[in-house]
Amino acid sequence: MEYLQDVFVSNLNATIHNGGFISFFPEDYWKSDFDCFNQNKFYCITRGSCTITIAGNRYHATAGDWFFIPRQTVHSFEKDDDDLFEKYWLHFDIYPTDENLFSLLNLPYFVKVEKDDPALSLFDVYTKTKGKSITDILKIKSCILSLLGRYIELSEKRQFLVKSRTDDRLDHLLRYIHSHLDKTISNDELSALCHLHTNHFIRFFKEHTGQTPIHYIRCCKMDTAKRLLENSDLNISEIMLCVGFDDISYFSKQFKIFYGMSPREYRKYYKFHLKPAKDQL
């Protein structure tokens, strides 16, 4: 728990890219087959019904179902045709890496909300806040962080438990990884740090984080590269070195696997589509 609090929660930040409230009449179209999106999604159903499949889990969603779909998670959805269908929706990013945070928390894909749940008021506040003033920006940021907190609270009511972080070895391992992202980090190196056989170490790490060490490290490296593309003037080769790659072609290929575009394409896309305007900073 110490690492979760010290590294993730204390530095937690979130950005909403898009969202709102939408109504579909019976004849309207809302369907996607096996989509894989580069941002997290919230869908909160307020009226009608639909079918949502997330990572192979199929749900018949009705009013009061609030779904969290992690980014890069295969999912599909289709509304029923016999009634008015309404939902709140948000597309958002979480910093630091949301894969690690939600793996650590082990969040469910959906929770239930009552008609008077504060989450619905938060969704409504976001929907009605469309200005670009500093007050509006702070209000929006407050909404997403409060929604995350409420989602976790509702998860806990379903007897969800945060995975134990009592083992100091894990804290030490994660801190080591985050401070050596510019290096090549092997399983043998990490297993030696916690005095475990390599096979035992891999099982230990996956049990506590939900990911293999290699995947965890790759996620951290790609997330760091993404932030550097967004917030620095470093060229692609310099960013590649910052996250421990020495082959520009391989680095670009790995980045595209994570984000659906090359580092150069992502930087251009971020600049023209995602970067806040100066009056939003």
Side-chain angles (χ1 to χ4, degrees):
M1 184 65 72
E2 176 187 351
Y3 184 79
L4 182 64
Q5 294 172 339
D6 290 351
V7 177
F8 283 100
V9 177
S10 62
N11 297 303
L12 187 65
N13 195 4
T15 299
I16 299 177
H17 295 294
N18 210 345
F21 179 82
I22 192 166
S23 298
F24 294 95
F25 290 97
E27 64 273 16
D28 291 335
Y29 182 85
W30 187 64
K31 179 180 179 179
S32 176
D33 292 322
F34 302 108
D35 189 18
C36 191
F37 201 61
N38 283 328
Q39 296 159 13
N40 303 288
K41 292 183 177 182
F42 273 155
Y43 288 156
C44 188
I45 314 303
T46 60
R47 183 169 178 173
S49 62
C50 68
T51 298
I52 297 180
T53 302
I54 308 173
N57 301 288
R58 185 179 178 87
Y59 305 94
H60 182 251
T62 57
D65 289 342
W66 179 8
F67 287 85
F68 162 68
I69 306 173
R71 69 189 180 103
Q72 298 181 337
T73 300
V74 175
H75 63 285
S76 64
F77 47 81
E78 181 178 9
K79 74 174 184 65
D80 294 341
D81 293 331
D82 57 354
D83 196 7
L84 178 68
F85 177 70
E86 296 180 334
K87 70 181 178 75
Y88 288 106
W89 62 283
L90 289 179
H91 297 167
F92 62 96
D93 275 331
I94 304 164
Y95 316 125
T97 53
D98 40 29
E99 295 100 335
N100 297 332
L101 177 65
F102 284 104
S103 175
L104 288 171
L105 291 177
N106 194 28
L107 290 174
Y109 288 127
F110 89 100
V111 296
K112 297 289 291 186
V113 293
E114 302 297 333
K115 291 182 179 180
D116 59 350
D117 195 277
L120 298 177
S121 297
L122 289 166
F123 277 115
D124 193 54
V125 168
Y126 168 75
T127 300
K128 294 176 180 178
T129 307
K130 295 299 184 181
K132 296 183 179 181
S133 69
I134 187 65
T135 303
D136 289 336
I137 299 304
L138 290 173
K139 190 181 294 185
I140 288 172
K141 188 172 291 291
S142 175
C143 280
I144 184 59
L145 292 176
S146 296
L147 282 167
L148 287 170
R150 184 59 183 153
Y151 196 90
I152 292 169
E153 286 179 342
L154 292 170
S155 299
E156 289 171 344
K157 292 180 180 179
R158 296 181 60 199
Q159 298 182 338
F160 145 75
L161 296 175
V162 176
K163 295 178 181 177
S164 172
R165 288 294 173 270
T166 57
D167 197 320
D168 290 339
R169 290 178 299 178
L170 185 66
D171 283 342
H172 179 56
L173 283 168
L174 297 181
R175 292 181 190 280
Y176 182 87
I177 289 170
H178 281 264
S179 62
H180 292 79
L181 292 178
D182 60 332
K183 312 293 184 185
T184 299
I185 308 172
S186 68
N187 285 334
D188 289 341
E189 181 181 356
L190 294 175
S191 62
L193 287 174
C194 57
H195 307 292
L196 290 173
H197 185 276
T198 301
N199 291 338
H200 292 163
F201 157 71
I202 294 172
R203 286 196 295 270
F204 165 80
F205 192 94
K206 188 171 183 179
E207 177 184 349
H208 285 78
T209 67
Q211 302 178 65
T212 64
I214 296 302
H215 183 70
Y216 181 94
I217 292 167
R218 186 59 52 85
C219 286
C220 293
K221 287 176 178 283
M222 291 298 106
D223 184 75
T224 299
K226 180 172 177 280
R227 306 306 160 212
L228 290 173
L229 288 166
E230 294 172 351
N231 302 312
S232 80
D233 294 324
L234 296 175
N235 62 42
I236 306 300
S237 296
E238 291 170 325
I239 291 174
M240 173 194 75
L241 295 175
C242 287
V243 293
F245 286 81
D246 56 12
D247 184 317
I248 191 70
S249 177
Y250 183 66
F251 168 65
S252 296
K253 180 180 179 180
Q254 292 300 308
F255 189 91
K256 189 169 185 178
I257 289 173
F258 272 73
Y259 298 111
M261 58 188 80
S262 70
R264 193 176 306 279
E265 290 169 338
Y266 178 80
R267 174 170 268 175
K268 183 178 180 180
Y269 177 79
Y270 177 81
K271 179 180 179 181
F272 291 103
H273 298 282
L274 301 180
K275 186 176 182 179
K278 290 183 178 179
D279 59 357
Q280 291 180 288
L281 299 176

